[in-house]
Amino acid sequence: MSNEFHIVVCGSIVPDPLQTLEPVQGAKGPELKNEMMLPAVLDPWAGHALYEAAELAKQNPGSKVWLVSLGPKAKLQQVMMNIAQKVPFELVCADGSASGFTDSFEVARILSGAIEGIQGLDKSKLLVFGGWQSASRGSGAVMQMVGEMLGITEQFQGVDKLAPGADGSLEVLERIEGGAYQTSVCSGAPAVLGWATGELPEPPNNPQVGMQNMRLVMPALQQAKPADLSGSSLSFASVELPKQRRETRVVKDMALDDMAKEIADWLQE
Amino acid sequence: MSDIPQVERQEMEADIVCVGFGPATGGFLTTLSRALMNEDGTPLAESRVMPGMPPQVICYERADDIGFGVSGVVTKGRAIRESFPDLDLSMIPMAHEVTEEKVAYLLDPVGASRKCGAVKVAEMAIKPFARDHAFELPYIPPFLQKHEGMVMSIGQFNQWVGSQAMGTGLVQIWPGTPVAEPLLEGNAVKGVRLADQGVNKQGQPEAGYMPGMDMKAALTVVGDGPVGSVGQHLDREMGLPEGNHQREYAVGMKMVVQLPEGCELKPGTVLHTIGYPEPEIFGFLYVYPDMSASLGIFVPSWFDNPVRTAYRYMQHWMMHPYLWKHLEGGTLRSWGAKSLQESGMQGEPFLVGDGFARIGEGSGTTNVLTGSGVDEAWASGVQLAEGVIELMKQGKPFTRENLEQAYVSRRRNSWVQEEAKQAAKARDGFTLGFIPGMMGMALSGLTKGFLNMPGKSKKPWERIPRIEDYFKGVVSEQELIKLRKECQAKGASLHDALMDRAGWPEIPHDGQLLVSHQDALLMGGKVVANPGYADHVTFADPYACQVCAEQVCTDICSGQAITVNPEGGAPLFDREKCVHCGACLWNCSKPHPDDDERTNVQFRAGSGGLHSAEN
């Protein structure tokens, strides 16, 4: 017997982490310098959740995947061109800032509202997926709040594995402190799962999947409504990135012991 | 029994498939997307593959983002402005009107440049008029002027154009999708084949093997630039029109720099330089609105130095007093490289055939005389789109004859062609040396191509001298043997060692603007290659590489992705570092075993190589 799930993945974009990021004071609070000009990628944490969702849907016929995203739609459009080639999903888009400086509560409010508005969503089959944390928003609080706002009490964070049972129950492997895992079982959907890295690699591009997805992605982007994030009571005293300086050498003929010694010496400096 | 997994190759159909998203395809999609739906809501023509729908148009781009771009650009922007008559440059990040133009000749403050006697004499003559070891030309010839034009980042421009085109909902642009080759039936193109995934570096299927999909289309638009795999494949299959060749290239290496506090340069400033660090190397600096600047150098094919890493030359160029006074204290924001096809009309391939049309740089639009290419590429895309719209309205198929009449005739009757003709022989003088080259450029430019300096073009591998000959009198053959041995043991190219030996000072790395080549790669350009694709740089005859004394590919490689093999043998290739500039393709001193018009390096479709979108 197979289960049918309605899987909603919450995930947005972040500036490509390989780019140079610098916090600056903008008109509406802190922001990253030139953020809108930098290449963006799907938040890697959300990516894990999306790929797990797609695999779960594939294994359980009748299931469906939505990607709910709060982000500037012009940048979302570019990222979706790439992501839409990887797994089948339907995009639900709220047009607004994806900055890590927006309040988690406000983000959760927009996301849960967007989920509530999905036509044909059956809450009895609902699994809300997302990143345990985010590359730009490290509080790890959004998914919990989304769950609370949707009235879902079964919540798991730091998930690496989900195994549905034949009776509809869910066995979940969660990361806990000290590098250990905790296995839990809940009776079934609805549930919220904040994914860690999961177990699946990034799928290769599949242009046929892309063709199917893009027919829905483009209208979704065009219909995206502006997200109101103005209710935040959050204020920032100051923001800065860790100071760092790269000193890279390419070494090809060094013994491992010498390499280890050099790193140890450097750490002791 | 074979271990190769049996996976069926998928096949789909579109009406038009485009390869490569750059300015040419931008012009094509912008013009086409505006016309696909009539004002009354009916489609311009019915899709052949989706009846009842407007034509299905898909564009594939190799890089991971449509904002892929590696050029700061100054352009008159005539064609771009025609497409956007109400263009507000403030809508495009990093774009600005040209406000000031200067061309400067840079003297050598270091004393290490290899300049011939005539150049040295000329420098003596202008030295009394020089400030900061530079002499600003009092007059810029009209053909070089960019007044009323714009400076911009091609990455940002591409992002902006792509968003506009996709925003219509009528065209799709898919990044992260390398196209392997055209689907050919005789000389007719029936679509494209995407690159295989789930293969090892040699291209052999592994776990997760997925053969590249065949995307069939009535029209294939080839806008994949000078080193694109589809354009190259067509050139190999069909040859070039009689008398044409693609022997003239340049490597452009660029940075975007956040200018230091108090920098006096104004947004829209355009500086061009000649003369330093070597006479053959051109430099540019364009200032953007937010007090950042795009700057870099071009190392041309006629620079006959067998060791020629553009990166270190660029650093010496930046540190020239004329530029350093503006740059000192600045910060590297992004970095990238690209090779330019500079043969222009002389390198023009067959522009159309049954089922295909070529646009942009790969079709020979770059004008080396005016130092312009983006606007010409855009114009060629617009001209093709106008032709395609005409043919669709008339219900005519995309045959060679129809495309000749609808597209090529437009191009032939346009300013692009007129100026390309003037530029056709402008570079020939450089085959004789720097001074004849400069005289030839001036002659061609001032007489609009009526008079030209003669010169005979050589194939790349015919031009590149032995290292021993080039450094004669500077480095003895015995010392060279010793240096070569030391460098090979380290897996390093000879370039730095020989530059040090020739008197070039060490670069004082400051960690923010003057950084190591590898740091520039890390800090300034994302070049991660997706797993599961084959290596896109290979050597046709590895034995020829093994016995090659120059291994120019290792010196020229913009990302240090091709390195000397410490074990001997053919150079090593690390695609995680490849920026896909294609410099290796023509900077090789050995001919291809099957075709001596090509070199021993083979460059095909590959994943990755995305530069910062700021470039």
Side-chain angles (χ1 to χ4, degrees):
Chain A
M1 175 189 159
S2 71
N3 299 299
E4 268 187 36
F5 296 111
H6 281 186
I7 311 166
V8 176
V9 182
C10 300
S12 190
I13 56 173
V14 292
D16 184 328
L18 289 177
Q19 302 298 323
T20 307
L21 304 177
E22 186 184 340
V24 290
Q25 200 64 31
K28 295 175 184 170
E31 57 193 44
L32 290 177
K33 189 172 184 179
N34 302 315
E35 184 169 351
M36 286 302 286
M37 283 194 257
L38 298 170
V41 295
L42 182 68
D43 191 325
W45 294 85
H48 295 308
L50 179 64
Y51 307 143
E52 293 285 348
E55 183 61 22
L56 185 64
K58 194 174 157 188
Q59 300 300 333
N60 294 276
S63 299
K64 194 172 174 187
V65 177
W66 288 266
L67 176 62
V68 176
S69 204
L70 165 61
K73 64 179 181 181
K75 298 294 277 186
L76 264 176
Q77 181 173 288
Q78 289 171 29
V79 175
M80 285 307 134
M81 284 289 163
N82 203 328
I83 300 304
Q85 296 180 65
K86 298 189 182 296
V87 292
F89 63 84
E90 191 172 315
L91 180 70
V92 178
C93 171
D95 185 20
S97 171
S99 161
F101 300 114
T102 43
D103 181 16
S104 300
F105 177 83
E106 295 293 330
V107 173
R109 185 174 59 77
I110 300 291
L111 292 176
S112 58
I115 295 170
E116 296 274 17
I118 295 174
Q119 297 285 320
L121 186 74
D122 183 345
K123 272 197 176 176
S124 68
K125 300 176 183 173
L126 177 61
L127 296 179
V128 182
F129 280 18
W132 179 23
Q133 295 214 7
S134 155
S136 70
R137 187 180 293 106
S139 69
V142 173
M143 292 309 299
Q144 293 175 30
M145 286 192 267
V146 168
E148 284 160 18
M149 289 170 187
L150 292 170
I152 302 174
T153 51
E154 298 291 354
Q155 295 206 10
F156 306 90
Q157 300 297 332
V159 176
D160 265 344
K161 193 173 182 182
L162 169 67
D167 58 353
S169 65
L170 303 170
E171 185 180 296
V172 183
L173 195 66
E174 279 176 284
R175 290 184 186 183
I176 54 172
E177 281 188 36
Y181 278 103
Q182 169 177 288
T183 305
S184 313
V185 178
C186 75
S187 56
V192 170
L193 290 92
W195 283 85
T197 54
E199 295 187 331
L200 298 174
E202 182 169 326
N205 285 352
N206 185 332
Q208 276 194 327
V209 169
M211 287 286 278
Q212 290 154 12
N213 278 345
M214 291 316 292
R215 292 194 181 119
L216 296 172
V217 166
M218 295 307 293
L221 286 163
Q222 281 159 5
Q223 289 158 17
K225 292 189 178 67
D228 178 13
L229 291 158
S230 59
S232 175
S233 58
L234 200 64
S235 65
F236 290 83
S238 69
V239 284
E240 65 175 25
L241 287 180
K243 295 278 181 285
Q244 59 179 335
R245 179 172 163 173
R246 283 196 190 91
E247 287 179 8
T248 312
R249 281 189 299 139
V250 176
V251 180
K252 296 199 170 185
D253 55 355
M254 198 171 181
L256 281 178
D257 287 349
D258 294 343
M259 228 182 275
K261 183 175 180 309
E262 189 174 316
I263 293 169
D265 290 347
W266 176 75
L267 289 171
Q268 283 165 5
E269 271 178 19
Chain B
M1 187 179 154
S2 168
D3 292 336
I4 298 174
Q6 296 298 309
V7 184
E8 194 183 343
R9 192 179 293 279
Q10 296 174 357
E11 190 178 305
M12 285 189 75
E13 283 192 283
D15 291 283
I16 297 175
V17 62
C18 308
V19 187
F21 182 72
T25 310
F28 176 75
L29 294 178
T30 296
T31 309
L32 186 68
S33 61
R34 290 171 180 171
L36 284 175
M37 295 297 287
N38 297 318
E39 280 184 14
D40 62 3
T42 57
L44 165 73
E46 191 176 13
S47 167
R48 193 177 53 84
V49 297
M50 289 184 68
M53 298 285 286
Q56 301 293 295
V57 184
I58 291 199
C59 172
Y60 294 119
E61 164 57 42
R62 163 190 60 77
D64 288 350
D65 192 315
I66 61 165
F68 162 79
V70 285
S71 286
V73 170
V74 60
T75 174
K76 285 183 180 172
R78 288 169 286 179
I80 294 170
R81 282 189 193 278
E82 262 183 47
S83 292
F84 303 101
D86 303 319
L87 183 66
D88 175 1
L89 285 180
S90 66
M91 299 294 289
I92 309 172
M94 300 171 91
H96 200 280
E97 290 84 8
V98 172
T99 53
E100 188 175 13
E101 282 183 271
K102 286 178 184 171
V103 178
Y105 183 87
L106 305 182
L107 301 172
D108 176 9
V110 167
S113 287
R114 289 178 64 89
K115 297 184 176 179
C116 67
V119 174
K120 284 179 180 165
V121 170
E123 288 197 3
M124 291 289 282
I126 60 173
K127 202 162 188 178
F129 308 101
R131 283 178 59 191
D132 296 318
H133 295 270
F135 174 73
E136 289 178 357
L137 270 57
Y139 160 78
I140 302 174
F143 62 89
L144 279 179
Q145 290 174 11
K146 298 288 189 295
H147 290 329
E148 297 173 2
M150 56 188 96
V151 292
M152 59 187 186
S153 146
I154 200 70
Q156 290 300 311
F157 179 67
N158 280 347
Q159 279 201 12
W160 181 78
V161 168
S163 300
Q164 303 267 318
M166 285 191 285
T168 64
L170 291 164
V171 297
Q172 295 184 18
I173 309 167
W174 288 6
T177 314
V179 176
E181 59 192 23
L183 294 171
L184 281 163
E185 279 181 21
N187 272 350
V189 175
K190 300 292 183 186
V192 295
R193 173 165 292 174
L194 306 184
D196 290 351
Q197 297 181 70
V199 296
N200 63 16
K201 289 183 172 185
Q202 290 72 42
Q204 300 302 312
E206 287 193 321
Y209 174 57
M210 191 164 84
M213 188 176 76
D214 284 350
M215 174 55 88
K216 297 194 167 171
L219 176 65
T220 299
V221 176
V222 185
D224 59 355
V227 296
S229 56
V230 175
Q232 296 259 320
H233 193 109
L234 291 175
D235 290 346
R236 285 200 300 276
E237 290 292 327
M238 299 175 186
L240 297 180
E242 184 68 30
N244 284 12
H245 61 78
Q246 294 179 353
R247 298 173 191 162
E248 308 299 332
Y249 281 85
V251 179
M253 183 165 280
K254 308 101 191 278
M255 281 183 177
V256 173
V257 171
Q258 188 66 47
L259 295 169
E261 290 278 331
C263 177
E264 291 175 356
L265 294 173
K266 300 281 179 290
T269 299
V270 172
L271 298 181
H272 286 130
T273 72
I274 49 174
Y276 183 80
E278 298 289 1
E280 297 88 347
I281 294 177
F282 291 85
F284 70 90
L285 188 152
Y286 311 142
V287 185
Y288 295 140
D290 65 345
M291 287 314 286
S292 59
S294 179
L295 53 89
I297 59 165
F298 292 101
V299 177
S301 47
W302 39 272
F303 176 43
D304 282 341
N305 182 348
V307 288
R308 45 172 105 177
T309 301
Y311 186 71
R312 183 160 172 187
Y313 280 127
M314 179 168 69
Q315 292 189 314
H316 286 298
W317 173 80
M318 287 161 64
M319 291 180 68
H320 188 282
Y322 180 74
L323 301 161
W324 195 237
K325 65 183 177 186
H326 300 302
L327 300 176
E328 188 174 12
T331 310
L332 168 68
R333 269 179 33 179
S334 66
W335 166 90
K338 175 188 186 299
S339 58
L340 291 93
Q341 209 276 70
E342 295 196 332
S343 295
M345 266 191 73
Q346 291 185 347
E348 192 180 283
F350 291 106
L351 292 179
V352 294
D354 288 337
F356 79 91
R358 309 276 299 262
I359 54 175
E361 191 178 355
S363 76
T365 49
T366 300
N367 188 314
V368 74
L369 181 62
T370 58
S372 183
V374 168
D375 205 31
E376 286 77 0
W378 182 276
S380 71
V382 171
Q383 289 156 5
L384 175 62
E386 288 170 350
V388 165
I389 293 163
E390 183 181 294
L391 293 177
M392 281 181 167
K393 278 182 179 167
Q394 296 169 354
K396 289 184 177 174
F398 299 116
T399 59
R400 185 179 63 77
E401 291 75 15
N402 289 341
L403 287 164
E404 285 272 4
Q405 178 268 322
Y407 162 50
V408 181
S409 64
R410 273 186 167 78
R411 184 158 157 175
R412 298 290 181 232
N413 292 319
S414 71
W415 60 269
V416 175
Q417 177 79 4
E418 187 187 340
E419 294 184 6
K421 272 187 191 166
Q422 294 171 16
K425 295 180 179 173
R427 263 182 78 125
D428 290 0
F430 284 113
T431 60
L432 305 172
F434 174 67
I435 290 183
M438 294 304 289
M439 288 168 62
M441 289 275 279
L443 202 60
S444 301
L446 295 173
T447 65
K448 294 186 180 292
F450 184 70
L451 295 174
N452 301 284
M453 181 71 77
K456 188 174 182 300
S457 179
K458 290 182 182 173
K459 296 163 191 167
W461 56 270
E462 290 176 329
R463 288 199 63 88
I464 298 169
R466 293 168 70 233
I467 299 174
E468 288 80 353
D469 294 337
Y470 185 80
F471 283 95
K472 201 168 188 174
V474 179
V475 185
S476 70
E477 293 209 12
Q478 272 193 325
E479 197 180 351
L480 192 58
I481 292 168
K482 184 170 162 273
L483 283 175
R484 190 175 270 136
K485 203 172 169 186
E486 285 171 4
C487 287
Q488 179 168 345
K490 289 189 285 188
S493 78
L494 272 169
H495 177 83
D496 276 333
L498 286 172
M499 279 194 85
D500 292 347
R501 185 64 189 75
W504 289 98
E506 201 174 319
I507 301 294
H509 290 159
D510 60 12
Q512 60 177 39
L513 184 57
L514 300 174
V515 299
S516 73
H517 200 162
Q518 291 299 304
D519 271 357
L521 200 66
L522 282 166
M523 293 162 68
K526 180 198 169 194
V527 289
V528 177
N530 290 320
Y533 286 97
D535 276 354
H536 55 276
V537 171
T538 56
F539 304 100
D541 176 5
Y543 179 72
C545 300
Q546 192 173 332
V547 296
C548 175
E550 294 83 34
Q551 299 207 338
V552 190
C553 56
T554 64
D555 286 301
I556 192 69
C557 182
S558 299
Q560 291 185 324
I562 303 177
T563 48
V564 171
N565 187 343
E567 319 262 302
L572 305 173
F573 175 61
D574 180 356
R575 65 194 181 91
E576 295 285 329
K577 291 181 182 173
C578 177
V579 296
H580 294 248
C581 73
C584 51
L585 186 64
W586 57 273
N587 275 287
C588 169
S589 62
K590 298 290 171 283
H592 192 281
D594 302 332
D595 174 7
D596 76 354
E597 196 62 48
R598 294 157 62 200
T599 66
N600 198 40
V601 174
Q602 303 179 122
F603 193 93
R604 58 186 175 188
S607 161
L610 173 71
H611 303 251
S612 165
E614 288 192 330
N615 272 308

